[in-house]
Amino acid sequence: MANVVYQQCQVTLQAERRNVEALLDRDPSDELRVHLQEIEDALRRIGYGDFGTCEHCKRKIPDHELGHAPTTRFCAACIEVRRPVITSAPDVE
């Protein structure tokens, strides 16, 4: 059975889906479409029982992280590993 955080995330995601769908009617931007897909994916993970599991390391994502970002697919450690390294541009003279 899903815990309270998962249930709260599901309610939040469903409300966000309705909001994004309404926005898409006025602004069919790629950014909104991507966000809607992320929401749909998170709701699907809840349905399949995979919600809250890191897709990379398969560890449980802490509830406080899910509460802040219910569409997240990775734990904080794996996000850090996956984040691209940003280097400063070389000085050009």
Side-chain angles (χ1 to χ4, degrees):
M1 181 171 163
N3 69 28
V4 173
V5 172
Y6 289 19
Q7 293 169 351
Q8 290 171 340
C9 286
Q10 184 174 22
V11 169
T12 299
L13 288 164
Q14 289 168 338
E16 183 68 10
R17 177 177 54 190
R18 286 188 299 273
N19 291 338
V20 171
E21 287 172 340
L23 288 171
L24 274 169
D25 288 340
R26 295 186 303 263
D27 174 22
S29 71
D30 288 342
E31 184 177 326
L32 284 174
R33 291 180 196 279
V34 168
H35 186 51
L36 181 60
Q37 186 61 52
E38 290 171 344
I39 293 167
E40 294 292 341
D41 290 346
L43 288 169
R44 198 172 1 267
R45 287 192 303 277
I46 290 171
Y48 289 145
D50 296 335
F51 185 76
T53 302
C54 177
E55 289 183 11
H56 181 72
C57 71
K58 306 302 183 206
R59 292 187 192 126
K60 182 183 180 315
I61 299 171
D63 288 346
H64 69 274
E65 290 178 27
L66 291 170
H68 291 293
T71 58
T72 192
R73 298 171 20 224
F74 304 101
C75 66
C78 289
I79 286 173
E80 280 301 313
V81 170
R82 296 173 56 84
R83 183 171 290 147
V85 176
I86 300 172
T87 58
S88 59
D91 292 335
V92 178
E93 291 188 31

